[in-house]
Amino acid sequence: MDGGFFLAQLDFCPDMVYDHVTDRQGQDQRGPDVEQLPPLFPRRLPRPRVFRARLVLDQISDRKIIDDYRLSRTAIYELYQEIREDIDPTTARSHAVPGIVKLLTVLQFLATGTFQHVLGGNSGVDQSTVSRHLTQVLHALKKCVRKHIAFPMGVEEHRKIKTGFFKIAGMPNVLGAIDCTHVAFTPPADQEMQYRNRKMGYSLNVQAVCDASLKILDVVTRYPGSCHDSYILSNSALGRKFAEGRIAQGWLLGDAGYGSKTWLLTPIPIPRSDAEKRYNESHISTRCTIERTFGVLKSRFRCLHISGGSLQYSPEKVADIVLVCCMLHNIALRHNLDIDIDIVVPPELDITPLATGSDVSRGNAVRRQVIREWFSQPREAL
């Protein structure tokens, strides 16, 4: 091939450094009258990693911070201080990814459910880097869960919770509303049957208990979609505490799928008397707080809703994602951050209770006593 033709075909690349063509004595082969063409044999220089100024929170409006990350500026800074020792770079390299960038990138992924939105947000990192940061930041955030999600055990805390629920529809002594919701994901091929739910999709079945203000008091994220709600409750730490009497003087509200217990009130299947109808109306109005909680949670963190796509992680990592989102939900509530609920989580239809025998009989007796003492007359007459 003619050398001049070969040189003419090369495109000049401004971020490359070139070596000149010389003879063995180091003299330029082109001569003094030859037009100076770009030198041959490019060596690409490494590009510096750039973290764009847009990720500096002080340069973003308050509204956009909440829209992009679901937390306020103050909440993000407080959260960063809690976990910075686990996510800040341990290297002295000048181009290491700052801890705050890792946190913001993960928060935006949780808010949208897709990496594409994160990459389009000018975070300055690519998808593979986001994946690595997700693992690191989730691990750091999990250490904070007990600080932000804990079922209260004090008498005064119980009194406040009961008062909050009673103001809704007159249901007495309620310590929490309980239900389960499914979070879709793609399980390993050899575990598909285990995670297949009754709608023939694949999911984790997540149990949560909330108070009247939609704060999550307890959450269990590790059970597969094939597990019955009642089974999850009976095998959870909170369920055992109630069953063993370590949490007394109050009860949970659950749907008919749980089966009636002395510490868990369910609705009357077929109410006949006016008192039973009033009880059911109060039960439904009060227990719907858990459905609203799931709606707010999945509206705030789209990664948990099927509209954000099925999560493509191991069951263990999906469980961690759900747990962290529940914690962030409580942090958002503490900072009075409202969100428009555009996801409605309907009541679960898993209404065949697994519990039978004396436990249900004693639970039914407690329910009859509640109806007799609190719903025998219209509330206005009390």
Side-chain angles (χ1 to χ4, degrees):
M1 176 181 294
D2 180 81
F5 176 78
F6 176 69
L7 290 173
Q9 300 303 306
L10 291 177
D11 293 326
F12 178 69
C13 184
D15 64 345
M16 292 183 178
V17 175
Y18 294 80
D19 290 331
H20 284 285
V21 179
T22 60
D23 60 14
R24 293 183 180 180
Q25 284 73 41
Q27 299 298 318
D28 196 320
Q29 292 290 306
R30 294 172 294 179
D33 298 328
V34 178
E35 181 182 354
Q36 296 299 308
L37 295 172
L40 293 177
F41 311 123
R43 296 198 312 272
R44 184 177 294 275
L45 292 177
R47 290 181 181 270
R49 302 180 78 174
V50 178
F51 303 105
R52 301 178 185 176
R54 188 175 174 186
L55 278 178
V56 179
L57 290 181
D58 293 340
Q59 300 179 9
I60 312 177
S61 68
D62 292 341
R63 183 68 260 170
K64 184 160 182 59
I65 288 176
I66 295 174
D67 289 343
D68 286 353
Y69 307 114
R70 301 302 195 256
L71 296 178
S72 66
R73 190 189 317 272
T74 301
I76 291 174
Y77 280 136
E78 289 179 0
L79 185 61
Y80 172 59
Q81 292 301 321
E82 287 189 51
I83 66 172
R84 64 179 305 172
E85 292 184 1
D86 292 314
I87 65 173
D88 275 347
T90 57
T91 177
R93 290 189 303 125
S94 59
H95 300 307
V97 181
I100 188 66
V101 174
K102 298 176 185 178
L103 175 60
L104 293 177
T105 303
V106 170
L107 287 177
Q108 196 172 14
F109 162 67
L110 298 177
T112 62
T114 60
F115 283 123
Q116 284 74 16
H117 286 80
V118 176
L119 300 177
N122 293 330
S123 62
V125 292
D126 57 26
Q127 181 167 335
S128 62
T129 305
V130 173
S131 297
R132 292 195 300 272
H133 293 168
L134 177 62
T135 300
Q136 182 184 15
V137 175
L138 285 178
H139 180 73
L141 291 173
K142 277 181 61 181
K143 296 181 180 181
C144 307
V145 167
R146 290 183 180 274
K147 176 181 176 181
H148 300 282
I149 302 178
F151 195 88
M153 299 298 290
V155 175
E156 181 59 24
E157 293 174 304
H158 285 183
R159 186 192 66 79
K160 290 180 179 179
I161 294 174
K162 292 176 182 179
T163 300
F165 278 118
F166 186 79
K167 289 179 178 179
I168 296 175
M171 183 66 71
N173 297 328
V174 179
L175 291 175
I178 186 171
D179 203 355
C180 289
T181 189
H182 288 261
V183 175
F185 81 108
T186 303
D190 59 347
Q191 300 179 30
E192 287 184 348
M193 291 302 297
Q194 181 181 358
Y195 291 95
R196 180 175 293 173
N197 56 49
R198 65 181 181 276
K199 297 181 180 179
M200 305 309 291
Y202 302 108
S203 64
L204 289 180
N205 195 8
V206 177
Q207 173 186 284
V209 177
C210 75
D211 66 9
S213 64
L214 311 188
K215 180 182 179 181
I216 295 175
L217 306 177
D218 186 79
V219 62
V220 180
T221 65
R222 68 181 182 274
Y223 285 93
S226 60
C227 284
H228 193 284
D229 295 358
S230 183
Y231 175 85
I232 298 174
L233 175 59
S234 62
N235 286 278
S236 67
L238 184 65
R240 289 192 294 269
K241 287 180 181 179
F242 271 101
E244 294 168 2
R246 286 185 280 167
I247 301 177
Q249 306 303 317
W251 39 66
L252 301 176
L253 295 186
D255 61 29
Y258 286 103
S260 185
K261 306 178 189 300
T262 57
W263 47 271
L264 192 151
L265 298 183
T266 60
I268 298 287
I270 304 177
R272 292 182 172 85
S273 67
D274 289 341
E276 290 179 344
K277 292 176 182 178
R278 285 191 287 269
Y279 165 82
N280 267 16
E281 291 171 358
S282 176
H283 188 286
I284 292 171
S285 297
T286 308
R287 197 193 72 84
C288 75
T289 52
I290 188 62
E291 295 164 10
R292 291 175 54 212
T293 298
F294 289 146
V296 171
L297 178 68
K298 293 186 175 184
S299 294
R300 181 173 274 130
F301 300 107
R302 292 283 177 163
C303 67
L304 303 183
H305 191 257
I306 192 64
S307 64
S310 179
L311 290 168
Q312 306 293 313
Y313 299 105
S314 68
E316 294 77 17
K317 179 169 280 190
V318 174
D320 289 347
I321 289 173
V322 178
L323 182 63
V324 165
C325 286
C326 290
M327 180 189 75
L328 297 175
H329 165 84
N330 281 357
I331 292 174
L333 290 180
R334 181 162 56 84
H335 286 266
N336 300 312
L337 301 177
D338 297 325
I339 188 170
D340 294 331
I341 304 176
D342 56 2
I343 293 177
V344 177
V345 179
E348 295 291 335
L349 302 176
D350 198 1
I351 60 174
T352 304
L354 294 181
T356 58
S358 59
D359 191 37
V360 172
S361 299
R362 289 194 297 268
N364 288 339
V366 170
R367 186 173 61 189
R368 287 194 297 271
Q369 181 180 356
V370 171
I371 293 173
R372 184 171 60 253
E373 294 180 358
W374 292 91
F375 297 97
S376 58
Q377 299 179 33
R379 189 181 179 187
E380 295 78 7
L382 297 177

